[in-house]
Amino acid sequence: MKVVRTVEELRQWKKQHNTQRVGFVPTMGYLHEGHEALIKKAKEECDLVVTSIFVNPLQFNQGEDYLTYPRNEEWDTKRAGKAGTDLLFIPNGDEMYPQPMKSIITLKDGADALCGRSRPGHFDGVLTVVMKLFWMVLPTKAYFGLKDAQQVAVLESMVNEYHIPIDIVRIPTVREEDGLAKSSRNVNLTDQERMEAPTIYSSLIKMKDLLMQGEEIEKVITRFHDTISSTTSGTVDYIELRSFPGMETIETTEKMQTVNELILACAVSFSRARLIDNCLFKLEQMEEVK
Ligand code: AMP
């Protein structure tokens, strides 16, 4: 695996490896099995795999964890190579953002949903950095995890709306044995919080089951709040039922019947880590249960 740090080196490498299918896995590093699942899938489907590591300041707000976001280049280099990366691109901030951006991509529709609402400007930062990385890497396919389902939805819209000739591949969420979604931020949980955090996913699953049994949405949401506040030290930032990938709000059981795929998405803040998770499910699965 080769490591490059500039766009020039990246382009030189691509020229030398005049290849058909390039798979791209953008990450913020501190790699875990979730990232590895993306790299492995890219390796299966493409001739060469480019993984990038860049903690993007543009997608963090003031007061968020940009400075404490875990970083370890040596660890990432080993894991990226082992998972099947051919080229590891670690751009530096000076080349990415030599000056404040004069133009950025702005999320218009959906900016008030889920993480868009609790992290104003977050998706503008995500869309802008991914657009930049797409132009730098020029891949055939790009791999994104459904752990960040809203991110997948907004990126798919951008690719469609801007006619970007890159296929977005969705990868299911990789979890710890106890159900907690793997996340670089999990290292910022205290031991006690780490023990409590699996409740997030088990509560989402319980919610999904109750909704399938016809329980009212409002009651199910209240129950999630109650469980998190009574069994963890975390604070619920949001918990919502929406359509996926359209992200329309679903407030009634009748509306629920009109969409194909649903997402229960939440964010829960602990002392030094804000965790997000979700559960995607389909209407047909609900009909099966009846
Ligand atoms: P990050 O480094 O957290 O920005 O994530 C980089 C990519 O890995 C994104 O597409 C994430 O959705 C994906 N990812 C992160 N955690 C997981 C996970 N547990 N399972 C699957 N994909 C993940």
Side-chain angles (χ1 to χ4, degrees), residues 210-217 241-243 248-262 281-288 290:
L210 289 170
L211 288 171
M212 282 175 156
Q213 289 157 21
E215 185 62 277
E216 274 173 43
I217 298 169
L241 178 68
R242 290 191 177 248
S243 64
E248 304 152 75
T249 44
I250 309 285
E251 276 148 357
T252 61
T253 316
E254 293 69 45
K255 178 113 187 252
M256 209 164 97
Q257 310 290 339
T258 65
V259 298
N260 179 33
E261 195 162 13
L262 294 150
F281 58 107
K282 284 198 171 180
L283 208 58
E284 303 99 71
Q285 290 168 346
M286 295 175 64
E287 282 160 0
E288 269 167 33
K290 275 181 197 162

Side-chain angles (χ1 to χ4, degrees), residues 128-141:
T128 303
V129 81
V130 171
M131 181 70 108
K132 266 177 165 283
L133 288 164
F134 278 180
W135 277 106
M136 291 170 178
V137 178
L138 295 172
T140 322
K141 294 186 173 199

